[in-house]
């Protein structure tokens, strides 16, 4: 969302109109609505007032150019339009000056600045949540091997190694990096930086546990197991990353979300396979952070 807003403001400069951002209050990210988050970010003055203003959906450059006095709604695919990409050029590779100015006067930047002490350190951000997957064989105490053996349990369903490749979109698969790979990169970065400690953050296994309890309870040994209990059990997958962790933040609560922003953006190095949101905030706040991808992944030759 932040990336799209930044592009929208640069596009507004290209066409000379005054942009406003409308976000429904029930548009949730984790337990914190985007509406509330943008207020904390300092963007209140650029947000459209309630009630919702009438909008037209813009899907091409000609729609914008034809009548800029109207208010247009942009979907995510809008920015993949080649005409709009040409109009933007390289503008949106930098944070828009107005957004940067507002953000640096916002409450979130003030909170993060308190944690940017100069001591730095390493933060490991392990994305699980909506791209979670585990191998049932790694949890024989919880899954019935008579039906779950060799299965990969994913947020989207239950797969074999081959059907995972064919049935789960590349956009999901590329965002999942296993724990051993994270650990290898973490150890290398620790050696480079000269430290033995790190901070571990992850959105955890809430979504996967809820999916399995709701749709695949037959795979469980204990058919009465709750989603909360299963979530705790699946957390074992991250256990190798706990060694040397001075702070651990797991889950998708409001508190976890805010803590994650504060501690990761206070680090010198962030290891993450999905750094987009954190990178956008670091750029917006002019923070000097090195981002490390635990597993650089080329685009597949055939789209799947």
């Amino acid at each position: 969302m932040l990336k799209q807003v930044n592009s929208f403001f640069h596009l507004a400069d290209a066409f000379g109109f005054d942009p406003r951002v409308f976000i429904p209050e029930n548009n949730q990210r984790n337990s914190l609505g985007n509406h509330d988050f943008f207020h904390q970010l300092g963007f209140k003055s650029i947000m459209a007032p309630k009630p919702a203003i009438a909008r037209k959906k813009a899907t091409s450059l000609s729609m914008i150019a034809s009548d800029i006095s109207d208010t247009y709604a942009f979907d995510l695919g809008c920015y993949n339009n080649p005409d709009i990409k040409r109009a933007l050029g390289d503008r949106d590779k930098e944070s828009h000056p107005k957004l940067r100015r507002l953000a640096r006067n916002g409450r979130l930047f003030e909170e993060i600045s308190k944690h940017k002490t100069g001591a730095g350190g390493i933060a490991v951000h392990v994305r699980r949540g909506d791209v979670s997957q585990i191998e049932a064989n790694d949890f024989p105490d919880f899954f019935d091997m008579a039906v779950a053996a060799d299965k990969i349990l994913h947020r989207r369903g239950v797969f074999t190694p081959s059907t995972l490749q064919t049935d789960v979109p590349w956009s999901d698969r590329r965002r999942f990096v296993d724990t051993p790979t994270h650990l290898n990169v973490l150890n290398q970065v620790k050696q480079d930086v000269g430290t033995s400690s790190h901070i571990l953050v992850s959105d955890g296994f809430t979504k996967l546990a809820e999916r399995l309890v709701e749709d695949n309870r037959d795979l469980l040994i204990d058919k009465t197991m709750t989603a909360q209990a299963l979530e705790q059990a699946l957390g074992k997958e991250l256990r190798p990353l706990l060694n040397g962790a001075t702070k651990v933040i797991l889950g998708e609560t409001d508190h976890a979300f805010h803590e994650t922003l504060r501690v990761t953006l206070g680090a010198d190095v962030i290891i993450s396979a999905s750094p987009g949101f954190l990178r956008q905030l670091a750029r917006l706040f002019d923070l000097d952070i090195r981002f490390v991808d635990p597993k650089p992944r080329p685009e597949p030759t055939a789209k799947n």
Side-chain angles (χ1 to χ4, degrees):
M1 176 66 76
L2 190 57
K3 181 179 180 180
Q4 281 74 35
V5 170
N6 186 59
S7 295
F8 177 52
F9 269 69
H10 281 291
L11 195 65
D13 285 350
F15 286 92
F17 60 83
D18 184 26
R20 288 289 184 272
V21 178
F22 174 75
I23 300 174
E25 291 195 39
N26 62 352
N27 185 349
Q28 297 289 319
R29 177 177 179 84
N30 302 321
S31 66
L32 179 72
N34 277 321
H35 188 277
D36 295 329
F37 173 72
F38 271 37
H39 274 237
Q40 295 174 26
L41 191 55
F43 287 0
K44 183 177 180 178
S45 64
I46 62 171
M47 296 177 68
K50 294 173 60 178
I53 52 179
R55 298 178 295 163
K56 295 181 180 179
K57 185 176 180 180
T59 55
S60 70
L61 187 61
S62 60
M63 287 186 67
I64 304 169
S66 62
D67 187 355
I68 62 173
S69 64
D70 283 343
T71 303
Y72 290 93
F74 289 83
D75 60 9
L76 298 182
C78 180
Y79 294 101
N80 294 322
N81 181 286
D83 287 340
I84 291 177
K85 284 186 175 181
R86 279 192 291 272
L88 281 171
D90 292 331
R91 296 171 186 250
D92 62 345
K93 290 185 178 179
E94 299 293 334
S95 294
H96 191 278
K98 183 171 183 177
L99 298 181
R100 187 186 298 118
R101 183 173 64 254
L102 291 172
R104 288 182 67 86
N105 287 297
R107 180 153 54 96
L108 183 60
F109 178 72
E110 181 181 356
E111 293 177 4
I112 290 171
S113 297
K114 293 176 183 177
H115 288 75
K116 197 70 174 175
T117 61
I122 302 169
V124 186
H125 169 236
V126 182
R127 181 168 178 177
R128 289 301 180 252
D130 58 345
V131 298
S132 294
Q133 67 179 57
I134 55 101
E135 295 184 19
N137 291 358
D138 292 338
F139 298 86
D141 293 337
F142 300 97
F143 295 105
D144 182 354
M145 290 298 109
V147 289
D150 302 323
K151 294 293 193 299
I152 297 175
L153 312 181
H154 191 281
R155 171 76 171 84
R156 288 176 173 262
V158 179
F159 303 92
T160 65
S162 59
T163 59
L164 181 75
Q165 300 298 313
T166 57
D167 296 348
V168 176
W170 167 251
S171 59
D172 267 21
R173 287 186 283 117
R174 73 181 178 84
R175 292 184 175 91
F176 177 84
V177 179
D178 61 31
T179 292
T181 301
H182 277 98
L183 184 60
N184 288 338
V185 172
L186 172 61
N187 289 336
Q188 181 62 56
V189 173
K190 282 183 173 179
Q191 185 176 355
D192 294 343
V193 173
T195 185
S196 60
S197 63
H198 65 281
I199 294 167
L200 173 64
V201 300
S202 175
D203 46 0
F205 298 91
T206 304
K207 290 184 173 69
L208 178 58
E210 290 174 347
R211 168 66 185 264
L212 290 172
V213 167
E214 182 176 344
D215 298 335
N216 303 104
R217 191 176 287 275
D218 60 303
L219 300 179
L220 295 169
I221 294 175
D222 179 2
K223 310 301 183 191
T224 66
M225 194 174 199
T226 65
Q228 290 79 7
L230 182 57
E231 179 183 355
Q232 274 195 316
L234 298 181
K236 169 190 170 185
E237 195 255 349
L238 299 175
R239 192 171 295 169
L241 293 169
L242 295 178
N243 185 30
T246 57
K247 189 177 185 66
V248 179
I249 304 171
L250 298 178
E252 298 187 78
T253 64
D254 189 346
H255 177 73
F257 176 72
H258 276 92
E259 275 293 290
T260 293
L261 294 183
R262 283 192 285 264
V263 301
T264 54
L265 294 175
D268 288 332
V269 182
I270 296 177
I271 300 172
S272 176
S274 298
F277 182 63
L278 293 172
R279 195 193 300 273
Q280 287 290 323
L281 284 174
R283 184 182 296 169
L284 193 64
F285 295 145
D286 291 324
L287 301 176
D288 184 17
I289 298 175
R290 174 188 168 200
F291 286 87
V292 177
D293 189 336
K295 184 181 178 183
R297 297 166 299 283
E299 288 291 336
T301 53
K303 187 175 180 181
N304 49 42

